[in-house]
Amino acid sequence: ASPQAGDWQRSLQAARSRLQWRSHFMQKLECEPELEHRALCSAYDELRAGPGEWDEGRYGAWAKGRTGFPMVDACMRCLLRTGWVNFRMRAMLTSFASYNLWLDWRQYAGHLARCFLDYEPGIHYPQLQMQSGTTGINAMRVYSVTKQARDHDPEGDFIRRFVPELHHVPLKYLHEPHRMPHDVQEAAGCLIGSDYPAPIVDEAESARVAKQRLHAVRRQDTTALEAQRVYVKHGSRSRLGAQERRSVLPTADGTSQSKAKRARRGAQSDPRQGTLQSLFACAAGPDGATDPDEGARTPHRPTGPSLPATPSMPTSTADAQAHRRGSH
Protein backbone atom coordinates (compact mmCIF):
# COMPACT_ATOMS: atom_id res chain seq x y z
CA ALA A 1 0.00 0.00 0.00
CA SER A 2 1.15 3.53 -0.76
CA PRO A 3 2.05 5.94 2.06
CA GLN A 4 -0.97 7.99 1.05
CA ALA A 5 -3.24 4.98 1.55
CA GLY A 6 -1.77 4.44 5.00
CA ASP A 7 -2.39 8.06 5.91
CA TRP A 8 -5.97 7.75 4.71
CA GLN A 9 -6.55 4.62 6.81
CA ARG A 10 -5.16 6.36 9.88
CA SER A 11 -7.43 9.33 9.25
CA LEU A 12 -10.47 7.07 8.98
CA GLN A 13 -9.48 5.28 12.17
CA ALA A 14 -9.05 8.61 13.97
CA ALA A 15 -12.47 9.79 12.75
CA ARG A 16 -14.09 6.57 13.98
CA SER A 17 -12.36 6.93 17.33
CA ARG A 18 -13.70 10.46 17.70
CA LEU A 19 -17.22 9.36 16.92
CA GLN A 20 -16.90 6.67 19.58
CA TRP A 21 -15.66 9.19 22.13
CA ARG A 22 -18.51 11.51 21.17
CA SER A 23 -21.02 8.75 21.94
CA HIS A 24 -19.17 7.89 25.14
CA PHE A 25 -19.47 11.41 26.50
CA MET A 26 -23.06 11.88 25.33
CA GLN A 27 -23.98 8.67 27.14
CA LYS A 28 -22.56 10.05 30.40
CA LEU A 29 -25.08 12.89 30.42
CA GLU A 30 -27.97 10.79 29.15
CA CYS A 31 -27.33 8.26 31.94
CA GLU A 32 -26.94 10.94 34.58
CA PRO A 33 -28.58 14.24 33.49
CA GLU A 34 -27.88 15.74 36.92
CA LEU A 35 -24.29 16.30 35.74
CA GLU A 36 -25.52 19.59 34.31
CA HIS A 37 -25.80 20.91 37.86
CA ARG A 38 -23.63 18.78 40.16
CA ALA A 39 -20.14 17.32 40.19
CA LEU A 40 -19.67 13.87 38.69
CA CYS A 41 -17.84 12.94 41.89
CA SER A 42 -20.05 14.28 44.65
CA ALA A 43 -17.06 14.77 46.95
CA TYR A 44 -16.22 17.85 44.86
CA ASP A 45 -19.74 19.25 44.71
CA GLU A 46 -19.15 22.14 47.11
CA LEU A 47 -15.78 23.05 45.62
CA ARG A 48 -15.80 26.71 44.48
CA ALA A 49 -19.45 26.95 45.53
CA GLY A 50 -19.04 28.41 49.00
CA PRO A 51 -20.48 31.76 50.11
CA GLY A 52 -18.55 34.64 48.60
CA GLU A 53 -16.34 32.46 46.39
CA TRP A 54 -17.87 33.63 43.11
CA ASP A 55 -16.02 36.70 41.86
CA GLU A 56 -18.08 38.64 39.34
CA GLY A 57 -15.18 40.89 38.42
CA ARG A 58 -12.92 37.99 37.52
CA TYR A 59 -15.72 36.33 35.59
CA GLY A 60 -16.42 39.49 33.60
CA ALA A 61 -12.75 39.97 32.72
CA TRP A 62 -12.42 36.35 31.60
CA ALA A 63 -15.67 36.39 29.60
CA LYS A 64 -14.61 39.52 27.70
CA GLY A 65 -10.97 38.55 27.14
CA ARG A 66 -9.58 41.22 29.50
CA THR A 67 -7.61 39.15 32.03
CA GLY A 68 -4.14 40.53 31.32
CA PHE A 69 -2.97 37.11 30.10
CA PRO A 70 -2.54 37.46 26.31
CA MET A 71 -3.19 33.86 25.29
CA VAL A 72 -6.31 33.61 27.43
CA ASP A 73 -7.59 36.92 26.07
CA ALA A 74 -6.75 36.05 22.45
CA CYS A 75 -8.57 32.71 22.69
CA MET A 76 -11.62 34.22 24.34
CA ARG A 77 -11.85 37.03 21.79
CA CYS A 78 -11.37 34.55 18.95
CA LEU A 79 -14.19 32.46 20.43
CA LEU A 80 -16.45 35.50 20.80
CA ARG A 81 -15.77 36.54 17.21
CA THR A 82 -15.79 33.20 15.40
CA GLY A 83 -17.45 30.65 17.69
CA TRP A 84 -14.51 28.27 17.63
CA VAL A 85 -11.08 27.48 19.07
CA ASN A 86 -9.38 24.11 19.18
CA PHE A 87 -9.57 21.61 22.01
CA ARG A 88 -6.35 22.59 23.76
CA MET A 89 -7.41 26.22 23.96
CA ARG A 90 -10.92 25.34 25.15
CA ALA A 91 -9.31 23.25 27.88
CA MET A 92 -6.96 26.11 28.76
CA LEU A 93 -9.82 28.62 29.03
CA THR A 94 -11.72 26.26 31.33
CA SER A 95 -8.70 25.37 33.43
CA PHE A 96 -7.78 29.04 33.87
CA ALA A 97 -11.32 29.92 34.93
CA SER A 98 -11.64 27.01 37.36
CA TYR A 99 -8.17 26.98 38.89
CA ASN A 100 -6.53 30.39 38.56
CA LEU A 101 -9.75 32.40 38.90
CA TRP A 102 -11.46 29.82 41.16
CA LEU A 103 -14.79 30.13 39.35
CA ASP A 104 -17.51 27.50 39.65
CA TRP A 105 -17.88 25.71 36.31
CA ARG A 106 -21.66 25.69 36.73
CA GLN A 107 -21.70 29.48 36.77
CA TYR A 108 -19.65 30.06 33.61
CA ALA A 109 -20.79 27.02 31.59
CA GLY A 110 -23.44 29.04 29.79
CA HIS A 111 -21.06 31.69 28.52
CA LEU A 112 -18.79 29.16 26.82
CA ALA A 113 -21.80 27.23 25.59
CA ARG A 114 -23.36 30.17 23.81
CA CYS A 115 -20.04 30.86 22.12
CA PHE A 116 -19.40 27.37 20.73
CA LEU A 117 -20.78 26.71 17.26
CA ASP A 118 -20.43 22.94 17.71
CA TYR A 119 -22.65 22.65 20.75
CA GLU A 120 -23.30 19.23 22.25
CA PRO A 121 -24.37 19.20 25.92
CA GLY A 122 -23.25 15.60 26.37
CA ILE A 123 -19.71 16.69 25.54
CA HIS A 124 -19.83 20.11 27.17
CA TYR A 125 -20.59 19.13 30.76
CA PRO A 126 -18.21 16.16 31.09
CA GLN A 127 -15.43 18.23 29.54
CA LEU A 128 -16.05 21.18 31.86
CA GLN A 129 -15.89 18.83 34.82
CA MET A 130 -12.78 17.07 33.55
CA GLN A 131 -10.94 20.36 33.11
CA SER A 132 -12.20 21.61 36.50
CA GLY A 133 -11.08 18.52 38.44
CA THR A 134 -14.50 17.39 39.67
CA THR A 135 -14.84 13.95 38.03
CA GLY A 136 -12.76 12.04 40.58
CA ILE A 137 -11.30 9.81 37.85
CA ASN A 138 -9.23 12.19 35.71
CA ALA A 139 -5.86 13.79 36.27
CA MET A 140 -5.79 17.38 37.48
CA ARG A 141 -5.30 19.65 34.46
CA VAL A 142 -3.80 22.98 35.49
CA TYR A 143 -2.46 24.82 32.46
CA SER A 144 0.27 27.43 32.63
CA VAL A 145 -1.28 29.95 30.28
CA THR A 146 2.02 31.78 29.82
CA LYS A 147 3.78 28.55 28.85
CA GLN A 148 0.93 27.72 26.48
CA ALA A 149 1.42 31.10 24.80
CA ARG A 150 5.15 30.58 24.35
CA ASP A 151 4.77 26.98 23.17
CA HIS A 152 1.89 27.46 20.75
CA ASP A 153 2.26 31.06 19.63
CA PRO A 154 6.03 31.62 19.85
CA GLU A 155 6.02 34.49 17.33
CA GLY A 156 2.86 36.04 18.74
CA ASP A 157 0.91 35.96 15.46
CA PHE A 158 -2.31 34.69 17.02
CA ILE A 159 -2.10 37.06 19.99
CA ARG A 160 -1.45 40.10 17.80
CA ARG A 161 -4.37 39.18 15.56
CA PHE A 162 -6.97 38.93 18.31
CA VAL A 163 -5.52 41.35 20.87
CA PRO A 164 -4.68 44.29 18.62
CA GLU A 165 -3.69 46.58 21.49
CA LEU A 166 -0.60 44.37 21.83
CA HIS A 167 0.26 44.60 18.13
CA HIS A 168 3.35 46.77 18.59
CA VAL A 169 4.60 45.19 21.81
CA PRO A 170 8.08 43.68 21.30
CA LEU A 171 8.08 39.89 21.18
CA LYS A 172 10.31 39.84 24.25
CA TYR A 173 7.37 41.13 26.32
CA LEU A 174 4.39 39.95 24.27
CA HIS A 175 3.55 36.91 26.38
CA GLU A 176 3.93 38.87 29.63
CA PRO A 177 3.29 42.51 28.67
CA HIS A 178 2.99 43.62 32.29
CA ARG A 179 6.78 43.16 32.53
CA MET A 180 7.44 45.92 29.98
CA PRO A 181 9.31 48.93 31.33
CA HIS A 182 7.26 52.11 31.15
CA ASP A 183 9.30 53.59 28.30
CA VAL A 184 8.73 50.43 26.24
CA GLN A 185 5.02 50.64 26.97
CA GLU A 186 4.96 54.20 25.68
CA ALA A 187 6.93 53.30 22.56
CA ALA A 188 4.55 50.39 21.85
CA GLY A 189 1.47 52.55 22.45
CA CYS A 190 0.25 50.11 25.09
CA LEU A 191 0.10 51.30 28.68
CA ILE A 192 -0.53 48.45 31.11
CA GLY A 193 -3.56 49.20 33.24
CA SER A 194 -4.93 51.59 30.64
CA ASP A 195 -4.68 50.21 27.10
CA TYR A 196 -4.34 46.62 28.28
CA PRO A 197 -5.07 45.26 31.78
CA ALA A 198 -2.50 44.05 34.23
CA PRO A 199 -2.91 40.35 35.17
CA ILE A 200 -5.99 39.97 37.36
CA VAL A 201 -4.34 37.18 39.41
CA ASP A 202 -0.86 35.93 40.17
CA GLU A 203 -0.65 32.94 37.83
CA ALA A 204 1.71 30.78 39.87
CA GLU A 205 0.23 31.56 43.28
CA SER A 206 -3.38 31.10 42.19
CA ALA A 207 -2.52 27.72 40.65
CA ARG A 208 -0.68 26.65 43.81
CA VAL A 209 -3.63 27.52 46.06
CA ALA A 210 -6.11 25.80 43.73
CA LYS A 211 -4.07 22.60 43.74
CA GLN A 212 -3.96 22.63 47.51
CA ARG A 213 -7.73 22.93 47.68
CA LEU A 214 -8.23 20.08 45.23
CA HIS A 215 -5.80 17.86 47.09
CA ALA A 216 -7.58 18.60 50.38
CA VAL A 217 -10.77 17.11 48.93
CA ARG A 218 -8.88 14.26 47.36
CA ARG A 219 -7.41 13.25 50.73
CA GLN A 220 -10.83 12.81 52.35
CA ASP A 221 -11.69 9.21 53.18
CA THR A 222 -14.99 9.32 51.28
CA THR A 223 -13.47 10.66 48.06
CA ALA A 224 -11.80 7.39 47.05
CA LEU A 225 -15.03 5.45 47.51
CA GLU A 226 -17.00 7.97 45.47
CA ALA A 227 -14.36 7.99 42.74
CA GLN A 228 -14.63 4.20 42.48
CA ARG A 229 -18.40 4.52 42.05
CA VAL A 230 -17.88 7.05 39.26
CA TYR A 231 -15.39 4.82 37.51
CA VAL A 232 -17.67 1.78 37.61
CA LYS A 233 -20.50 3.77 36.04
CA HIS A 234 -18.70 6.18 33.71
CA GLY A 235 -15.11 5.06 33.19
CA SER A 236 -13.91 4.23 29.70
CA ARG A 237 -13.99 0.51 28.96
CA SER A 238 -11.10 0.75 26.52
CA ARG A 239 -7.74 -0.59 27.68
CA LEU A 240 -6.13 2.82 27.31
CA GLY A 241 -8.98 4.56 29.11
CA ALA A 242 -8.91 2.05 31.95
CA GLN A 243 -5.16 2.50 32.33
CA GLU A 244 -5.57 6.27 32.55
CA ARG A 245 -8.35 6.02 35.13
CA ARG A 246 -6.33 3.63 37.31
CA SER A 247 -3.48 6.10 37.24
CA VAL A 248 -5.56 8.86 38.80
CA LEU A 249 -8.08 7.12 41.07
CA PRO A 250 -7.22 8.32 44.58
CA THR A 251 -6.38 6.01 47.44
CA ALA A 252 -7.44 6.63 51.03
CA ASP A 253 -4.42 8.86 51.64
CA GLY A 254 -5.25 10.99 48.61
CA THR A 255 -2.38 9.80 46.39
CA SER A 256 -2.89 8.33 42.93
CA GLN A 257 -2.70 4.60 42.34
CA SER A 258 0.07 5.13 39.81
CA LYS A 259 2.49 7.85 38.80
CA ALA A 260 2.12 6.90 35.16
CA LYS A 261 -0.06 9.95 34.52
CA ARG A 262 3.01 12.20 34.60
CA ALA A 263 4.40 10.51 31.52
CA ARG A 264 1.12 10.99 29.70
CA ARG A 265 0.54 14.67 30.34
CA GLY A 266 2.98 16.08 27.83
CA ALA A 267 1.48 17.77 24.77
CA GLN A 268 3.39 15.62 22.31
CA SER A 269 2.11 12.36 23.83
CA ASP A 270 -1.53 13.27 23.21
CA PRO A 271 -2.43 13.31 19.50
CA ARG A 272 -5.78 14.90 20.33
CA GLN A 273 -4.16 18.17 21.42
CA GLY A 274 -4.40 20.92 18.81
CA THR A 275 -1.68 23.28 17.62
CA LEU A 276 -1.57 26.95 16.80
CA GLN A 277 -2.04 26.16 13.11
CA SER A 278 -5.48 24.75 13.83
CA LEU A 279 -6.29 27.85 15.83
CA PHE A 280 -6.13 29.84 12.62
CA ALA A 281 -8.72 27.55 11.05
CA CYS A 282 -11.26 29.17 13.36
CA ALA A 283 -12.29 31.76 10.79
CA ALA A 284 -13.55 28.98 8.54
CA GLY A 285 -15.14 26.93 11.31
CA PRO A 286 -14.18 23.77 13.19
CA ASP A 287 -12.57 21.95 10.24
CA GLY A 288 -9.24 21.92 12.02
CA ALA A 289 -10.64 20.42 15.21
CA THR A 290 -8.42 17.70 16.64
CA ASP A 291 -10.34 16.39 19.63
CA PRO A 292 -13.63 14.48 19.83
CA ASP A 293 -14.59 16.11 23.09
CA GLU A 294 -15.01 19.62 21.76
CA GLY A 295 -17.30 21.97 23.62
CA ALA A 296 -20.91 22.83 23.63
CA ARG A 297 -23.61 25.41 23.96
CA THR A 298 -25.26 24.68 27.28
CA PRO A 299 -28.71 25.42 28.68
CA HIS A 300 -27.25 26.57 31.99
CA ARG A 301 -27.76 30.31 32.46
CA PRO A 302 -24.90 31.98 34.32
CA THR A 303 -24.66 35.33 36.01
CA GLY A 304 -22.57 38.02 34.38
CA PRO A 305 -22.13 39.02 30.73
CA SER A 306 -23.47 36.70 28.08
CA LEU A 307 -24.08 36.46 24.36
CA PRO A 308 -27.42 36.18 22.56
CA ALA A 309 -28.53 32.59 22.32
CA THR A 310 -28.89 30.97 18.91
CA PRO A 311 -32.65 30.66 18.17
CA SER A 312 -32.44 26.89 17.75
CA MET A 313 -30.41 26.42 20.92
CA PRO A 314 -31.91 23.83 23.32
CA THR A 315 -33.11 25.35 26.57
CA SER A 316 -32.68 22.25 28.72
CA THR A 317 -30.88 18.93 28.69
CA ALA A 318 -34.16 17.19 27.86
CA ASP A 319 -34.65 19.52 24.88
CA ALA A 320 -31.13 18.75 23.71
CA GLN A 321 -31.83 15.02 23.88
CA ALA A 322 -35.04 15.50 21.91
CA HIS A 323 -33.14 17.62 19.41
CA ARG A 324 -30.73 14.77 18.72
CA ARG A 325 -33.68 12.39 18.21
CA GLY A 326 -35.04 14.70 15.54
CA SER A 327 -37.97 16.08 17.56
CA HIS A 328 -37.09 19.74 16.79
Side-chain angles (χ1 to χ4, degrees), residues 67-324:
T67 67
F69 292 92
M71 196 60 161
V72 172
D73 295 341
C75 287
M76 182 59 76
R77 295 186 197 186
C78 176
L79 186 58
L80 290 169
R81 186 187 304 179
T82 70
W84 192 84
V85 290
N86 69 14
F87 173 74
R88 173 177 287 275
M89 296 308 147
R90 296 181 190 211
M92 183 196 71
L93 287 172
T94 301
S95 171
F96 184 77
S98 288
Y99 290 105
N100 299 93
L101 304 186
W102 202 245
L103 299 176
D104 187 347
W105 60 271
R106 287 163 287 204
Q107 292 275 45
Y108 68 75
H111 174 73
L112 287 178
R114 284 186 289 271
C115 292
F116 292 143
L117 290 174
D118 51 348
Y119 170 63
E120 169 49 60
I123 294 173
H124 189 62
Y125 288 108
Q127 278 297 312
L128 285 178
Q129 295 212 37
M130 284 175 64
Q131 304 304 332
S132 299
T134 60
T135 68
I137 60 173
N138 297 101
M140 190 184 303
R141 294 170 166 88
V142 183
Y143 286 68
S144 167
V145 296
T146 301
K147 183 179 185 299
Q148 292 297 308
R150 291 197 173 107
D151 289 351
H152 298 281
D153 193 15
E155 300 302 317
D157 297 329
F158 181 74
I159 289 172
R160 295 183 199 279
R161 176 178 176 181
F162 287 99
V163 189
E165 57 266 45
L166 299 178
H167 185 78
H168 297 293
V169 171
L171 182 59
K172 177 181 178 180
Y173 300 107
L174 184 62
H175 300 115
E176 295 182 282
H178 64 284
R179 298 190 183 278
M180 281 191 294
H182 189 73
D183 61 331
V184 179
Q185 295 181 34
E186 290 183 330
C190 181
L191 297 179
I192 301 302
S194 176
D195 300 305
Y196 185 71
I200 61 174
V201 293
D202 181 300
E203 181 182 2
E205 178 63 13
S206 59
R208 184 190 66 81
V209 172
K211 290 176 183 178
Q212 284 184 341
R213 293 177 175 179
L214 264 291
H215 283 305
V217 176
R218 190 186 185 99
R219 286 192 294 268
Q220 295 175 5
D221 293 339
T222 56
T223 302
L225 294 175
E226 176 63 10
Q228 290 287 351
R229 181 200 68 78
V230 172
Y231 173 69
V232 169
K233 184 169 184 177
H234 293 289
S236 169
R237 297 300 180 258
S238 70
R239 182 173 60 182
L240 181 61
Q243 176 183 349
E244 179 179 9
R245 298 312 189 279
R246 284 195 300 271
S247 74
V248 298
L249 284 175
T251 59
D253 63 357
T255 60
S256 62
Q257 294 180 11
S258 167
K259 295 184 179 180
K261 65 177 181 180
R262 291 187 177 90
R264 291 173 42 81
R265 291 177 66 182
Q268 294 182 354
S269 68
D270 187 352
R272 295 181 296 163
Q273 300 292 354
T275 62
L276 179 66
Q277 284 71 25
S278 62
L279 272 174
F280 280 106
C282 63
D287 297 337
T290 57
D291 193 277
D293 307 337
E294 297 219 328
R297 182 176 287 107
T298 168
H300 188 81
R301 286 171 285 280
T303 59
S306 61
L307 297 177
T310 303
S312 60
M313 169 181 158
T315 57
S316 69
T317 302
D319 288 345
Q321 293 169 351
H323 180 78
R324 287 196 295 273

